[in-house]
Structure formats: structure tokens, C-alpha cells
Amino acid sequence: MSLKNKLNLKKYIPLFMAILLFAAFSCGKEVDDTAADDEQENIVLDYTVHPMTEKVKWLTNDREPVIASPEAKKGGTFNAYMLTFPLTFRTVGPDSNNYTRSYFLDNQLALLSYHPNTEKILPELATHWAYSRDGRTMYFKLNPDARWSDGTPVTPDDYIYTLEFMRSKYIQAPWYNDYYTKEIEKVTKHGDHIVSVTATKKIPDLWLTVSLSPTPKHFYGKLNKKYITEYNWKIEPNTGPYILKDFSKGKYLLFERKKDWWAKDLRYFKNRFNADYIRIDVIRDPNVAFEHFRKGLIDSFGATRPEIWYEKGEGEIFDKGYVNKLWYYNRARRPTSGLYLNFDKEIFKDHRLRYALAHAINFNKLNSQILRNEAVRLNTFYEGYGKYTNKKIRARAFSIPKVEAYMKGAGWKRGSDGIWEKGGKRFSATITYGQEQLTPRVVVLQEEAKKAGIELNLELLDASTSYKKVMEKKHDIAYMAWSTSFRPSPWQSFHSDNAHKSQTNNINNMDDPAMDRLIDRYRNSTSEKERVSLAHKIQQKIYDSGAWVPLNTLPFFREFHWRWLKFPDVPGHRESGSVFDDPASAGYFWIDEDMKRETKEAVKSGKTFKPVTRIIGKYK
């Protein structure tokens, strides 16, 4: 999943990476809407106009470099694939944390965004912004041209409604309920095009907290307990370049570019989002998907994994120059690929056993045998976050003597088959994962752990079943990754508020008062220096807990693409995780229809072109 160059608070819950992908379609149970009055929510928000009484300095930014190319052409259909159909089109509530979620979220703009290279604030739905003297409030001038996809103007009421929506118990989203109550105090309307957002406290990077996305009040209205099912498959109006035009459950999604999009000529959007349509077909087997790609039915194919780049990147389509190769180095915040231990399982209640497991994971063998020594190992949970990263932490190395020391210290002995035993129980746990391509990796981990006396059973499930099992906290060990946020966001992953309950991101079920105190202080701190220090302590606490065994990351990504996909000389930014994945997020590429016709004819006639492999090292 690509890292985003737009800020949107709805994205602060990280998504499952492609290791788990996303869950398949299921229908919700119908809910009776005849609720008694005392069951209704009593959320009262102020929609009245309040004159601005404070004199402020309005700011904007039209000076940052643009990445998009003026040579870009509009038109064509970008063809992609997904392994399973999403459980819902909702981006909030149960089962919404799925792979295609970004296609919807990236089409819901925020008040502000940031430049992915300079990290300077950029205008998005707001044209100007200003800071209040109280240090907790920002004012925003809304772009008067901003429109929802149904033509309705975006108004301050849509931002006030965001609070009502996100605080509602009916959305069944504890993270949003908590965030929009504890972090956002109020939203105030100052006329038709000025809105202010007030945080509950002074905080560094105030704009990160108060740059809200609007929620279409005219679409949702007053929520009730039927929200989950009533809006499961409804298409929410949005403010971005694409809207879901058509779909067939279990088969495909079709997004259409808005030809009259209100923001198409703005500086930071111009020459982007060029494909007329984005079609995502369900192909449940990646090998079958690659055959579709070979036939030109899919336009690009992720090739970061060495088994794809080196083994599938050969043959006629490459030799004859029909398909190009791209290798792109980046400097991004790193997704948290690793093994997540479930503390609610008896085997992991003793920290010594958790440490023993960590020392039984032979990353170097995995890297040399499967990953061609291209990977580097993650060390801490927040890698690549600049000064927020605790660079003193180093991952526990494979060491059978250390495994033995921890196990003997916990009173365990090797059994007749070499597996540790105690009181009739074996040190045996199951790794749950959701992609067949990961099997060679977990087999290596399994074989090496056995040498250290730990039995790791392998449970390959389809993507949807794996997703549900982990989110319901029924796993022993989950092999997965979370994507990243702009700053470390530990509350959702490690606070006890989210332990021992399903559909939260604390899949370790960590329930540690000392960790809670650190996280609470981090959330409430108004000093960047203190927040950095607390972020380091939180990472140390994660390490000390043994909750997560870090695995591999790569300082690059790789892709195959048919030659008709064109892009700027540098097709992305320093945080880019893909050139072609989710065009609604970056969308710098375009489709050359003349070259597509030429290539299709060449495939039939046997005409060849010079093979192309591009290595982009600007951000190496």
C-alpha cells in the first residue's frame, strides 16, 4: 500500500498491508430501527454563525515544487486487481479497515495537506489558514468552489457534522469516538466560508490535529443504529478526483474521474489523476493475476518481492520491450512488518518465553535464503520517523544460547523431540498469515525456530479469514504489517483501552498500566521535545514487552508496467511506496493511448522495442 502525500485524519488508523490484504464481502444482519427515545444519542453541536472577533494573519502556500508533469494526458482506463472484494464501502466502523479503503479515503480531502518532500503545509479544501492566540485553534478559509461529488457545496456545517458523526456510538468505531472527543474540542462556523477548529489542548504540529475532513451532512443526516447496515454499500459523496461509478459484488470496482472536478486546475492537483477510469477486478490468485498482466489485461504489477522481480521478470514481454521495469528507492516511514504475539494466549503471558521466541527468529537466514539479502531488518516499531525514532533499539538477534537461557530460567526443559516442555505443555504456537507467497518465508522461520526448541505451526488462511481472525484477537502470532501515519500513534496499537476487544488495532492485547501512562502523557503533551522523548520511551517499552518481533523492510519498491504507462522523470516523492497503486493518492502517471495501440499491434506482429529498466535513486 502506498504512503500518502495527503493528510486526512480518517487515515490515522493504519491499514493492513498487503500481507493480510482485505476481507471479502459479507452481508450485515438487518437491524430494527424502531429505537426508543432514550436509546437515541444526545449529541448537541452548534451550527449557528459566530462572528470572528480575533484579528489573525492569514497564510497560504503556493511556492512548493510540483511533481506532476505538464506532458500528462487525460484519458484511458487503468486496470488493476484485488484478491477479494471489500466487506464494506464504509471507511468507518466494523470491517472498514480494508485494502480498498484508500481508494475511498484518498477521495475525501482534508482542510490541509503537506508536501511529501518538504513537509510544508499545502492548501487542500482550505485556501488559507491562520493560528489563534490561544495556541489551540486554527481558522480556515474554505475554497468557495469546493463541491461534493453530487454538486452540493462544502460548508462549515459539514465540519461541525464531522464531530457529530465521529463521536456517535452508532458508527461503532472506538478509535474515532475517542479521538474526536479527547483531541477536538469544537468546530465553529464564521460565515459561509470560514470555519475554526479548536483542539482540547496546545500541541506541537497543531495543524495535524485540526485539519479535519468534512462529512456530508446532507447525505447522512441524523444517525441511528441502522448506520452499519444501511450505509454498508452506499456510495458516500466525496470531494476528490474520483468517485465509485459502478461495481459488482465479488467481481469488480469501477472508479470514474470527475471531468468537471472543482480542483482540477489548482497548483498541486494540476496534471494529476489522469486516467478516466480505474477498474479493479477481483482475481483471487496472484499467479492468475500475473497471467492477466502478461496478457495486458492489467497495466502494472508490484514486483518488490525478489521472487517476482527475479523469477517472473523474464520472458517475451520483457525481452521484446513491451513491459518495462521500475526500481525506486525511497526514504519512507516503514510499515511494521513482523510477528505480533497475542498476550491473551497462555504461552505468551511469561515475558521470558516472548524473548525466547524473538531470539529463535533467524532473520539473517530468511534474508539470505528467501530475500536475496536485499532486505534490512526493522529495529523499532516507528522506523523512519526522524527524531521520533528511537535509534538505540536493536532487534533481538537469532541466538540458541539465549533461547536456552530464557527457557531454563522459566523452568522449561527440552523434550525427547527437542521442543521445550513444562508441566505437560509444549512450546508450540501458530503463525497466522494471509498470502500463499509468504509460505517460503514462514517455512524458514519454522525450521530455524525448531532448532531452538520452539514449534511454530503455520496457518495459511485466505485474506478475509486471516483479517477477521486477527481483528477478533483469536490468533497466537500474526504475521502482518501496519501502514504508517505522519507521527507515531501508539494509543491505537498499545493502550489498554483497545485490549481484549475485537476490531481494534491492539492485536497484541497489551494491557500495561505503565505503558498507558506513557501513551497518555504523549497524547497530552504540548511540548515537541517531550513528545519525542516519550515516543522513544514508548518504543523502548514495546521492545521490553517482547510483543512484536520485527522482520524485514526494504528501502525501495519495484514494479512492472506496460510501456504505455508514462510518468514524470522522477515519478514520485521520497515517501512513495508505489507509482501506480491507488492513483487517487498520487496520480502522477498517465496512459498514452497511441502507445497502447502501437504496443498491442506489436504484440500481434512480433515487432520489438528496446527493453527498459529504470532505477530511480534520487531518494536513495
Side-chain angles (χ1 to χ4, degrees), residues 238-269:
N238 65 31
T239 55
Y242 290 93
I243 187 70
L244 183 63
K245 177 70 173 180
D246 188 24
F247 65 93
S248 178
K249 290 178 182 176
K251 295 182 179 180
Y252 69 88
L253 300 173
L254 181 67
F255 291 85
E256 182 180 32
R257 180 173 61 85
K258 303 170 189 173
K259 304 299 190 297
D260 58 349
W261 184 41
W262 65 272
K264 62 184 176 66
D265 293 323
L266 297 181
R267 174 179 173 83
Y268 300 111
F269 291 137

Side-chain angles (χ1 to χ4, degrees), residues 2 21 153 198 207 230 331 372 417 471 475 488 570:
S2 60
L21 291 176
T198 300
W207 70 276
E230 183 178 351
R331 282 182 276 168
R372 300 180 182 241
D417 62 352
M471 292 305 286
H475 61 287
V570 179

Side-chain angles (χ1 to χ4, degrees), residues 322 599-607:
Y322 304 145
T599 306
K600 292 282 189 178
E601 291 171 1
V603 171
K604 293 178 182 178
S605 67
K607 178 183 177 180

